[in-house]
Amino acid sequence: MKKQEFKERLQDRILILDGVFGTMLQPHLPAGACVDHANLEKPDLVAEIHRAYRNAGADLLSTNTFGANRIKLDEFKLGHKTREINGAAVRLAAKHAEGRLVTGVIGPTGRLVEPMGPLTFDEAYDVFREQALALAEGGIDLFLLETFSDLKEIRIALLAIRDNTDLPVMACMTYGEDFLTFTGTDPVTAANVLRSMGADAVGVNCSTGPEPMLEVLGRYAAFTDVPLLVEPNAGIPRLTGNTVSYSIGPDEMAGFAEKFVQIGANIVGTCCGSTPEFTARLSGTLKKSKPVPRHTAQTLSLSSRTRTVQIGPGLPFCIAGERINPTNREDLIEALTHDRISVLQNEARAETQEGAHLLDVNIGVPGLDDVAMMGKVIRGIENVSAAPLVIDSTNPAAIEAALRETPGKVLINSVHGSPESMETIIPLAARYGAGLLCLAVGESGIPKTAEERIDVLRQIIERTDAAGIPREHLICDCLTLTVSAQQKRAEATLKAIQLVKQDLGLPAILGVSNISFGLPERSLINATFLSMAMSAGLDAAIMNPGDMRMMETVRAASVLTVRDRDSRIFVSSHQKKKKSSKPETDSAGKDSGESPVYRAVLSGNRDEIASLVENELGQGASAFNINNDLLIPAIQEVGRQYDRKEIFLPQMILAAETMQKAFEVLEPHFGKGDVRTAGKVILCTVRGDVHDIGKNIVGLFLKNEGFEVIDLGKDVARDEIVARAKQHQADVVGLSALMTTTMTEMPGVIRALKEAELEAKTIIGGAVVTKTYAREIGADAYAKDALEAVGQVKALVAS
């Protein structure tokens, strides 16, 4: 199917996507069997499910391939059958489609991508490319990316599909009740990145029941006019005996479906807990419904993993911090030369705290391998700042390294009017869905007049149009030139800004500080020019957010140009000046935040923590004091920041891993009695469940709190759990399950532990379980995430 054909189908009617597939298969398979392998082992059963959904009225039939990527199939020693399993799935769906669209389903790998986990960009890309090609060669009509929680992973999946096929792609993420993904991405940020990467429909699936999805869908609809897809669970799972039931039935789901369409949904399906009966009710309810027209304002929007910044007329003025740049900065040159990413992290953190909305990243040092270094720098900065990035480099290979590494949508700085620049930079922006700074520099250099600069920008825009880059991905730089020699240069720039707004209809950005080069009182000149530029329509500036005069000018000019509605930002900034915060102190009364070890844990600086700890030891600090006064306060502060949603899972994981590396250095130096084991904890995912990301994170945090963790892995039989709990005399047994079909194993494990008369307490967790479920099955505790698990385990051991 061509993308345009898919778009046309969505204009006239609501399409019905079928419901859950895997959980309909699992009751008919042996415990722990691979659902996707049923395409080869039980084709009649797979076909029966397809026919049931088709007869119920589904317009799109999903292939049974959610877990059919090489990484997940390797868990069952079936990786070598990846192509065969996917091909068989397509044939089964196509055979029974009878005119319905065959939708090739791709799920996440089940592993975390760098820097959160060991999976590299290239490894993830190859896995998704392999599955995408197998599905496309089988003859699917379109793709469906489902149940992704990591923005970086789904971005890689989208890229692999777009690079290797020309089929439409629907992309869904899964959110918690706080409307954030597992890794901290909000719906607006997800929609911005997914649409920029070329998704033909953006959606939400699994996650929760239908009611919370109304909010997610509403945020999508208010931000983008891309078609929307929704697939809710049938409410919260409940266990009755050994049977899992759900709180929402087909009729209630159909009522929510009407609300989804009113908000803007174009495609409606269902997820966990659904059956063909749900599909039949959706089809009957929505068969006469028409899509609701949506028209959203399109403007340049840039994203990190957890934040989106919009730039344009009437929006808050955007500040891009300029200090991550080694030009005339010996400290940054030394840091880059010696791989000391923490120096750049500190600069990024400071600029963000000073008010930068974006961070301009330039690592150009003669002789430096900027391609290899760029990835390290991007990962390091994104660990300490939520600000979207501006990639400032003259090396296309270094720019691409940054584009591969980022989970969000960055701004490339820049493309100019030379053929070489346009031929190399524009394709990168098109492939990776990046924003593009268009620099008014022509083949023969910098044009003198405003009109000549606009002509250069027109040439660039013609090329971006031809490359399929939307206008809302662009921003124009009319150039700031020093006035110390030629004062008319400022006038030409200001006029060019006005022409960009009037003739091109695009936002404008400037690097401000060049204006004052060679003059005294540079800050005064810069601030005055900035005020004039904002009056001319300037939307953003690359500047130093640490220059108070400049920042005050931005705030005051924002009030006068009505960018700061009701003067809220201006008033708030002056209220903040009156407040002061007391730094946290360690047990010795010192400011622990001053310690490089403390800051390294907070920033997740895994690469340098060992040398920093060794330096503390070399200066005479004891292992006991380093642990108690620096490491433990740091990881506790990480927990507080996570609870306040100032940081998210990626930063939390890196901080925990950094503390682990620090502890490994300290361990040989502890005196007798310095380290006490807080308790012994058995961790595992239960029989039939091969998902272990959450369990692994829990284990990492428990180790950092002094617990001895015995990790039994995944898909563990109850007899093995009981035997190991007895062998290690465990204080606590932690059980994890991601799927409704495996959560029913938990009560059996708990009964077996009690029958063995073990004193170990039990705690459960996982996407499908709840506090109520824990109480119903006799578990001693429930935890929704790693930090809560630490607190609960401490309480269980102390009780």
Side-chain angles (χ1 to χ4, degrees):
M1 168 182 276
K2 299 296 183 184
K3 290 175 178 283
Q4 184 60 34
E5 181 185 349
F6 177 63
K7 185 177 180 181
E8 290 170 358
R9 288 204 185 198
L10 294 174
Q11 290 176 349
D12 300 325
R13 57 183 293 250
I14 303 300
L15 296 183
I16 305 299
L17 179 66
D18 58 10
V20 72
F21 207 102
T23 52
M24 288 189 68
L25 271 173
Q26 280 179 315
H28 306 281
L29 303 176
C34 174
V35 171
D36 310 278
H37 198 214
N39 297 323
L40 302 179
E41 295 291 303
K42 293 184 178 293
D44 292 343
L45 182 57
V46 173
E48 181 183 335
I49 296 172
H50 281 312
R51 286 193 299 270
Y53 278 121
R54 179 201 66 199
N55 295 337
D59 300 299
L60 297 92
L61 294 185
S62 304
T63 57
N64 177 39
T65 54
F66 176 76
N69 62 69
R70 180 172 292 273
I71 288 177
K72 282 194 171 181
L73 290 176
D74 275 341
E75 300 284 351
F76 302 95
K77 297 181 171 50
L78 293 170
H80 63 288
K81 290 188 175 183
T82 299
R83 184 171 180 177
E84 184 181 2
I85 289 172
N86 281 277
V90 179
R91 288 192 296 273
L92 285 167
K95 183 177 180 180
H96 303 282
E98 294 186 1
R100 277 69 170 179
L101 298 178
V102 177
T103 306
V105 174
I106 295 178
T109 62
R111 292 187 185 174
L112 293 173
V113 182
E114 288 182 330
M116 288 190 294
L119 191 64
T120 67
F121 174 96
D122 287 331
E123 289 168 342
Y125 182 92
D126 288 344
V127 166
F128 290 124
R129 178 176 57 82
E130 179 183 32
Q131 188 178 7
L133 285 173
L135 291 168
E137 290 166 1
I140 62 168
D141 296 298
L142 71 165
F143 287 96
L144 172 59
L145 298 173
E146 268 190 329
T147 326
F148 281 79
S149 58
D150 180 4
L151 189 60
K152 186 171 185 178
E153 185 180 27
I154 196 172
R155 186 174 178 270
I156 296 171
L158 257 170
L159 184 65
I161 292 172
R162 288 182 55 226
D163 281 351
N164 296 281
T165 82
D166 58 0
L167 297 175
V169 188
M170 303 181 292
C172 287
M173 299 202 75
T174 180
Y175 301 88
E177 293 183 356
D178 56 359
F179 311 120
L180 297 173
T181 71
F182 183 49
T183 55
T185 300
D186 62 276
V188 166
T189 296
N192 186 43
V193 173
L194 296 177
R195 74 171 183 178
S196 298
M197 288 296 298
D200 300 281
V202 173
V204 51
N205 82 293
C206 203
S207 312
T208 62
E211 188 164 3
M213 286 192 181
L214 294 170
E215 176 69 24
V216 174
L217 201 69
R219 295 188 191 186
Y220 279 160
F223 178 77
T224 179
D225 55 7
V226 171
L228 301 180
L229 164 67
V230 59
E231 299 176 85
N233 290 341
I236 299 171
R238 297 175 299 195
L239 186 67
T240 306
N242 288 323
T243 303
V244 177
S245 61
Y246 285 79
S247 57
I248 291 177
D251 290 340
E252 190 175 355
M253 185 67 80
F256 277 106
E258 291 181 298
K259 296 177 183 178
F260 290 142
V261 171
Q262 291 167 8
I263 292 173
N266 304 84
I267 306 160
V268 181
T270 51
C271 204
C272 297
S274 66
T275 62
E277 187 180 355
F278 283 75
T279 304
R281 289 293 290 116
L282 293 181
S283 179
T285 301
L286 301 179
K287 61 183 177 182
K288 294 183 180 179
S289 298
K290 298 288 185 182
V292 175
R294 288 184 291 115
H295 302 286
T296 57
Q298 301 298 307
T299 188
L300 176 62
S301 301
L302 304 173
S303 296
S304 64
R305 187 192 297 273
T306 59
R307 184 180 299 172
T308 292
V309 173
Q310 295 180 273
I311 305 171
L315 295 169
F317 190 79
C318 182
I319 298 164
E322 68 179 3
R323 296 202 307 263
I324 304 176
N325 188 328
T327 304
N328 298 320
R329 290 281 305 273
E330 290 297 328
D331 58 334
L332 292 192
I333 293 173
E334 192 274 339
L336 287 165
T337 303
H338 293 88
D339 225 13
R340 293 179 56 222
I341 306 301
S342 60
V343 176
L344 285 81
Q345 287 179 314
N346 291 338
E347 196 71 87
R349 188 188 292 107
E351 287 195 289
T352 305
Q353 291 171 347
E354 290 161 356
H357 307 104
L358 311 174
L359 296 176
D360 188 83
V361 179
N362 183 323
I363 60 168
V365 174
L368 181 74
D369 183 354
D370 54 353
V371 176
M373 180 58 68
M374 184 63 84
K376 295 179 182 179
V377 170
I378 297 299
R379 289 194 296 270
I381 290 174
E382 288 189 335
N383 291 339
V384 299
S385 172
L389 302 181
V390 181
I391 307 304
D392 190 351
S393 177
T394 58
N395 183 354
I399 293 173
E400 182 161 21
L403 293 172
R404 284 160 51 97
E405 201 59 52
T406 179
K409 177 183 176 183
V410 304
L411 180 67
I412 298 175
N413 182 10
S414 58
V415 59
H416 52 80
S418 74
E420 181 183 3
S421 176
M422 291 189 288
E423 288 167 8
T424 56
I425 302 302
I426 289 175
L428 285 176
R431 183 183 183 214
Y432 290 94
L436 191 54
L437 188 154
C438 304
L439 192 63
V441 175
E443 224 180 324
S444 56
I446 300 172
K448 292 182 179 179
T449 69
E451 292 77 10
E452 289 172 332
R453 295 181 194 181
I454 297 303
D455 287 341
V456 172
L457 292 173
R458 288 187 196 278
Q459 294 170 24
I460 297 172
I461 293 167
E462 286 177 7
R463 295 289 289 270
T464 58
D465 284 346
I469 296 176
R471 292 285 181 96
E472 62 265 24
H473 285 209
L474 308 180
I475 189 167
C476 297
D477 187 335
C478 301
L479 296 171
T480 304
L481 302 172
T482 179
V483 295
S484 58
Q486 298 182 38
Q487 288 179 260
K488 287 286 185 181
R489 286 176 168 178
E491 182 181 349
T493 298
L494 296 173
K495 184 178 180 181
I497 292 171
Q498 294 172 329
L499 292 177
V500 163
K501 313 295 287 187
Q502 295 167 11
D503 296 355
L504 303 182
L506 293 175
I509 187 171
L510 286 177
V512 178
S513 59
N514 284 345
I515 196 75
S516 62
F517 186 77
L519 293 172
E521 287 288 343
R522 293 191 64 185
S523 178
L524 176 60
I525 296 290
N526 292 343
T528 304
F529 176 66
L530 176 59
S531 178
M532 296 170 70
M534 289 180 67
S535 178
L538 189 70
D539 300 287
I542 301 173
M543 54 177 270
N544 178 9
D547 186 327
M548 292 305 299
R549 177 182 274 159
M550 293 280 283
M551 293 297 288
E552 289 172 349
T553 297
V554 168
R555 296 184 188 112
S558 292
V559 172
L560 300 175
T561 56
V562 202
R563 288 183 180 273
D564 181 4
R565 299 301 175 103
D566 302 320
S567 306
R568 293 176 183 175
I569 299 173
F570 184 83
V571 172
S572 175
S573 68
H574 283 272
Q575 288 175 336
K576 287 178 181 177
K577 288 181 181 179
K578 299 177 182 179
K579 297 180 180 180
S580 60
S581 58
K582 184 179 179 181
E584 183 179 352
T585 58
D586 62 27
S587 59
K590 299 176 183 177
D591 179 6
S592 58
E594 294 176 355
S595 165
V597 170
Y598 180 92
R599 292 198 302 269
V601 174
L602 285 186
S603 63
N605 187 356
R606 293 178 300 189
D607 297 333
E608 296 185 35
I609 187 66
S611 61
L612 293 172
V613 170
E614 287 168 354
N615 185 57
E616 289 281 344
L617 291 169
Q619 293 180 10
S622 71
F624 178 83
N625 285 340
I626 294 172
N627 186 52
N628 282 28
D629 297 342
L630 300 177
L631 296 180
I632 291 176
I635 204 67
Q636 289 173 341
E637 174 60 19
V638 168
R640 287 190 287 269
Q641 291 180 5
Y642 181 80
D643 283 340
R644 297 193 298 262
K645 298 199 182 304
E646 295 171 4
I647 63 172
F648 298 96
L649 182 66
Q651 293 83 11
M652 190 172 71
I653 291 175
L654 288 169
E657 291 178 347
T658 301
M659 183 164 173
Q660 272 293 101
K661 287 182 176 291
F663 195 82
E664 289 168 6
V665 175
L666 291 180
E667 198 165 17
H669 299 275
F670 282 119
K672 188 175 181 181
D674 278 352
V675 181
R676 296 181 178 86
T677 301
K680 292 183 180 181
V681 183
I682 297 282
L683 289 181
C684 65
T685 54
V686 296
R687 185 68 174 169
D689 204 310
V690 296
H691 303 87
D692 64 352
I693 289 176
K695 180 262 297 175
N696 293 343
I697 296 169
V698 169
L700 188 61
F701 272 80
L702 287 173
K703 288 177 183 177
N704 283 337
E705 292 289 339
F707 288 94
E708 180 183 344
V709 175
I710 299 97
D711 190 338
L712 305 185
K714 49 198 172 187
D715 189 18
V716 185
R718 67 181 71 173
D719 290 345
E720 172 72 6
I721 298 170
V722 172
R724 297 295 292 276
K726 184 175 183 179
Q727 173 192 346
H728 293 281
Q729 295 183 318
D731 298 292
V732 178
V733 174
L735 306 174
S736 174
L738 185 71
M739 304 180 294
T740 55
T741 51
T742 56
M743 64 188 282
T744 56
E745 175 68 10
M746 287 178 163
V749 175
I750 293 171
R751 284 196 304 272
L753 289 167
K754 290 180 179 178
E755 289 169 2
E757 299 182 350
L758 297 179
E759 295 183 1
K761 303 292 180 64
T762 54
I763 180 171
I764 67 169
V768 294
V769 301
T770 64
K771 185 181 292 186
T772 301
Y773 181 68
R775 186 170 57 249
E776 289 174 351
I777 67 174
D780 296 297
Y782 158 81
K784 70 179 186 297
D785 57 37
L787 288 176
E788 186 172 309
V790 170
Q792 292 288 354
V793 170
K794 283 183 176 179
L796 291 175
V797 171
S799 64

